[in-house]
Amino acid sequence: MPKPRVALIPTPVPNAFATGRSPKKATIAVTEGLMTKLNESEIEAVLGHELAHVLHRDTLVSAMAATIAGAISYLAYLGRWGIFLGRSRDERESTPLFAIMLSLILIPIAATLIRLAISRGREYKADEEGAKLTGRPIALSNALIKIRNSVLSLPPLPVNPGTVHLWIVNPLKGESLLELLSTHPSLEKRVFKLRKLANQMGVWDDKPIPLEYLKPRRLPWFL
């Protein structure tokens, strides 16, 4: 695999993400906040997560899924206009208008939900592959907790929902209530899966942060 470019973003908000449609074009970006909030093993684990995204071309996959979902939504929009402008009398009598309208509304919603489910699946896979790559599943779970709690301890960030996929954890509050509509799985599920993976690998590479600190704003000052 070609060595990806690395970019350092001068912001105190901890985050990391990968861009580029292929490993040859990839860039991994980390923020100054991430470099100061995490220890060395946690930074390595986060970089492993982002490398896994690069290896599996997740940026390209996500872009393709978003494009397809957008195209379906646009076709459904055109279809709704076509109902009123292009149906003959026989067609109106043979097919209930309500059924057609309902399908044209539900189809783009289903396409969006599928796209989001794909995104969540890629996050789980990047967690697993990144942890195996670095041998640091516990460090990655600790890093995710620290990043999420750090982000939520800040004043509300002006995050565009369209850029949430560029965050290693969901920066929007209420993620557990709206996981179905999120690009990221819940943090709790990611941490549990990583700790289960640590058991399977027989690798407890770091001292795990107690699960009680999965709740935001409760991370001790020394972490």
Side-chain angles (χ1 to χ4, degrees):
M1 171 184 168
K3 182 179 179 181
R5 292 181 293 274
V6 178
L8 181 64
I9 301 174
T11 175
V13 180
N15 189 30
F17 59 89
T19 65
R21 65 180 183 272
S22 70
K24 290 183 179 180
K25 303 287 186 179
T27 298
I28 294 177
V30 298
T31 66
E32 291 179 350
L34 183 132
M35 300 296 291
T36 58
K37 289 287 185 182
L38 305 186
N39 62 39
E40 186 174 334
S41 62
E42 291 163 352
I43 293 171
E44 181 183 346
V46 167
L47 291 177
H49 171 96
E50 299 305 333
L51 276 174
H53 277 309
V54 171
L55 283 169
H56 294 286
R57 301 173 185 262
D58 286 342
T59 300
L60 178 61
V61 171
S62 297
M64 291 176 62
T67 300
I68 293 171
I72 291 173
S73 298
Y74 184 68
L75 290 174
Y77 171 78
L78 294 179
R80 287 195 290 271
W81 278 103
I83 289 174
F84 299 104
L85 301 178
R87 298 180 76 216
S88 66
R89 180 177 179 180
D90 291 340
E91 289 173 331
R92 289 194 296 269
E93 292 176 352
S94 62
T95 307
L97 177 62
F98 173 77
I100 297 176
M101 284 294 294
L102 184 62
S103 65
L104 292 177
I105 292 172
L106 292 180
I107 287 173
I109 292 175
T112 299
L113 292 178
I114 291 171
R115 175 179 67 83
L116 295 174
I118 290 172
S119 179
R120 292 193 297 272
R122 308 300 281 194
E123 287 299 323
Y124 279 134
K125 190 66 175 177
D127 284 347
E128 179 182 351
E129 294 298 324
K132 289 179 178 179
L133 179 66
T134 62
R136 297 189 180 279
I138 299 301
L140 180 55
S141 72
N142 288 349
L144 295 177
I145 294 173
K146 288 184 179 182
I147 293 170
R148 199 279 297 269
N149 286 3
S150 178
V151 169
L152 294 186
S153 69
L154 298 171
L157 299 173
V159 179
N160 185 328
T163 64
V164 169
H165 66 284
L166 294 177
W167 292 73
I168 190 170
V169 298
N170 191 340
L172 301 178
K173 299 185 179 183
E175 62 175 15
S176 61
L177 298 176
L178 296 174
E179 183 179 349
L180 189 65
L181 303 177
S182 174
T183 58
H184 292 64
S186 72
L187 179 67
E188 289 78 6
K189 290 182 180 179
R190 294 175 72 181
V191 168
F192 288 143
K193 282 181 175 290
L194 284 167
R195 295 189 178 182
K196 181 179 179 180
L197 178 63
N199 281 329
Q200 294 171 348
M201 294 172 61
V203 176
W204 283 78
D205 51 286
D206 206 343
K207 181 180 179 181
I209 293 175
L211 294 179
E212 63 185 281
Y213 296 117
L214 278 170
K215 296 181 180 180
R217 304 179 187 275
R218 296 190 61 186
L219 200 64
W221 66 269
F222 54 83
L223 292 176

